[in-house]
Amino acid sequence: MSLPITIRLGARARQRIAAEGIQAADVAIVPAAAGGPKGLILHGLDCWMFGHWLRAAPRPRKLIGASIGAWRMAASAFDDPLAAHKRLARLYAGQRYPAKVTPAYVSQTIRALLDELLDGRAAEVAGQSNHHLSVLTARGVGALGNTSGQRWREMAGFARAAAGNVLARRHLASSMERVVFHNPRDDAQWLRQPFDAFNGHFVGLNTANLRDALQASGSIPLVLEAVSAIAGAPEGDYWDGGLIDYHLHLPYQRDPGLVLYPHFSDYIVPGWLDKSMPWRHTRPGPDHPALDNVILVSPSPDFVASLPNGKLPDRRDFKAYGQDHAARQRDWTRAIAESERLAEAFAAWCERPDLAHTATF
C-alpha cells in the first residue's frame, strides 16, 4: 500500500536522521507556504505537530509563514494550538461570498475571520515564549508604493512587476520589499543578512499590528485591498507575502537545527509569479544549500487523487462551486478530515524513520 505522504530531505537532514533518528527537540524552524485553500490539507499535520509532538518538547522555535501559512503559524503560537487550528479550519472553510464581490467586501470578511481566530488574545500569539511567529508581507515600492486604493494603479503596478519578474526574479525587487513582522523574543537574525535581491524591513509584532500584519500577508492583489498604516511599520501599501515568498525558499541552512516543512507540494516555488515558470521550481536534482537541513512532508499523488474532485482544495473552487456554498464546504471539510491520514503516516515515520522511502533535494 502506498504511503499518503512524500518525504524529501536535504543532505544534512538525511545524515542527521540516519545517525540519530528524529526527535521533536531537533526541530528549530517550521515554515508555512502561501497557497490559499491548499493549506487546509495540512490541518491534520498542524494539529498533531503543535497539539502533541512539538508541544511535548518545548524549546524556542521559529514559525514563519506567508498568507494562509502565516495564519496557520499564528494558530500554532496560541497557548492552546489545537483549539486554534480547529477554529482556523472552521472559519476558513466557512467563507461565503456573493456572486459579485468587491475587494472591500473580501477584505472586511477576512478582517472579521482574523478577529475571530485571534479571539482577543493577540498578545499571547505575538509574544509566545517558545513558538516565535514571523509573518511575511510584501510592501509596494515604485509604482506600487502608493496606489491610493485605485484599481487601475494596482493593475498597472502589478503588470509592470510581473513583466520584470519574467526577465529575472531580481527585477521584482524594484516593485516590492520584504517586510518581516516577528516575535520580539526573536529578532529574525537569520533573515537579516541579505540572501536575495529584496530589501528587508523588520518590525516587532505586538497587539497593535498582529491582525493587520496577518491581513496584509494574505491580501491578494485585486482580490483584497492593500493594508496600510500598520503600527510600527514603514509607511506604504502591504500585500500578500506570497508575492515574494510563495513557498518560502529562505536561508534555512543558517540554523544548526532541523527545518520541518509540512507543504501541500513536493517542490518549492520562490514567488507567486513564478508558478508558471517550472525552471524556477526547486525539485530533486542538484544540491540546494538553503534546503540542506529541511524535511519536506507533502501529500502523495495517490492521496491527492483520493480527495473530492481528485485534487487539493484551491481558490478556483469559489468560482467552480458558485453559490453552492454547502457543497464546497462539504468537500473542503472532507479534505480536512482526510488530512489526519497524513499526520498518522508522518507520526509513524518519525518513530521509525525509513530513509529508503524518502527522496533528496
Side-chain angles (χ1 to χ4, degrees):
M1 182 180 296
S2 62
L3 289 175
I5 56 174
T6 296
I7 299 175
R8 299 199 183 281
L9 304 174
R12 174 152 52 108
R14 179 177 293 277
Q15 292 169 2
R16 182 165 176 172
I17 294 170
E20 306 171 12
I22 179 172
Q23 291 79 40
D26 298 333
V27 177
I29 302 176
V30 181
K38 296 184 183 74
L40 295 174
I41 207 60
L42 303 171
H43 174 74
L45 279 165
D46 288 339
C47 288
W48 174 74
M49 285 170 49
F50 292 102
H52 304 287
W53 194 55
L54 296 177
R55 189 181 182 88
R59 57 157 290 180
R61 289 190 181 91
K62 303 172 180 66
L63 314 183
I64 185 165
S67 198
I68 192 174
W71 302 357
R72 288 172 46 226
M73 293 301 97
S76 303
F78 277 87
D79 289 342
D80 186 351
L82 188 58
H85 276 292
K86 290 181 178 179
R87 188 161 64 249
L88 175 58
R90 173 180 57 80
L91 291 169
Y92 198 99
Q95 294 178 80
R96 292 185 173 221
Y97 296 99
K100 292 185 178 180
V101 66
T102 65
Y105 185 97
V106 180
S107 291
Q108 290 168 6
T109 301
I110 295 303
R111 189 172 297 115
L113 182 156
L114 291 171
D115 281 338
E116 192 169 348
L117 171 65
L118 292 174
D119 194 29
R121 288 177 283 172
E124 180 182 311
V125 175
Q128 182 63 239
S129 59
N130 283 319
H131 285 166
H132 300 158
L133 174 66
S134 289
V135 177
L136 295 168
T137 66
R139 174 177 176 259
V141 295
L144 287 174
N146 185 5
T147 61
S148 303
Q150 295 179 307
R151 189 175 180 87
W152 70 269
R153 287 181 180 271
E154 291 179 20
M155 293 178 68
F158 282 109
R160 180 176 178 178
N165 187 71
V166 169
L167 296 175
R169 177 167 156 79
R170 68 179 182 274
H171 293 310
L172 190 62
S174 65
S175 295
M176 56 192 71
E177 299 175 334
R178 178 186 289 114
V179 181
V180 183
F181 292 85
H182 60 91
N183 184 312
R185 296 173 185 266
D186 175 12
D187 64 1
Q189 191 62 40
W190 67 293
L191 294 173
R192 289 179 183 264
Q193 182 180 346
F195 59 92
D196 60 15
F198 296 91
N199 288 331
H201 300 275
F202 296 82
V203 180
L205 279 171
N206 54 51
T207 56
N209 63 22
L210 175 60
R211 198 278 311 278
D212 285 345
L214 291 171
Q215 174 108 12
S217 190
S219 290
I220 304 166
L222 306 177
V223 178
L224 284 85
E225 297 176 318
V227 178
S228 59
I230 303 179
E235 292 184 2
D237 289 343
Y238 286 74
W239 302 95
D240 196 309
L243 290 166
I244 297 174
D245 298 303
Y246 186 46
H247 290 176
L248 282 64
H249 197 303
L250 302 174
Y252 302 115
Q253 81 279 16
R254 294 176 177 174
D255 195 289
L258 293 178
V259 178
L260 179 51
Y261 190 172
H263 191 21
F264 49 78
S265 171
D266 68 348
Y267 57 89
I268 293 175
V269 180
W272 187 83
L273 293 168
D274 301 318
K275 290 193 299 180
S276 60
M277 304 178 192
W279 57 91
R280 294 189 187 173
H281 298 185
T282 301
R283 297 179 182 271
D287 290 340
H288 301 283
L291 306 178
D292 200 36
N293 54 339
V294 170
I295 304 164
L296 187 135
V297 186
S298 59
S300 70
D302 286 346
F303 173 86
V304 173
S306 73
L307 297 175
N309 305 311
K311 68 175 188 62
L312 299 175
D314 62 48
R315 199 157 55 90
R316 292 171 297 182
D317 290 342
F318 285 112
K319 183 176 181 180
Y321 286 87
Q323 293 301 291
D324 193 351
H325 304 296
R328 177 183 52 79
Q329 289 177 243
R330 177 200 66 216
D331 289 345
W332 282 13
T333 300
R334 180 183 155 194
I336 291 169
E338 288 293 311
S339 73
E340 294 182 10
R341 292 169 50 204
L342 306 182
E344 292 168 357
F346 187 59
W349 186 87
C350 287
E351 288 185 9
R352 300 184 64 181
D354 183 356
L355 298 183
H357 286 85
T358 64
T360 302
F361 280 112

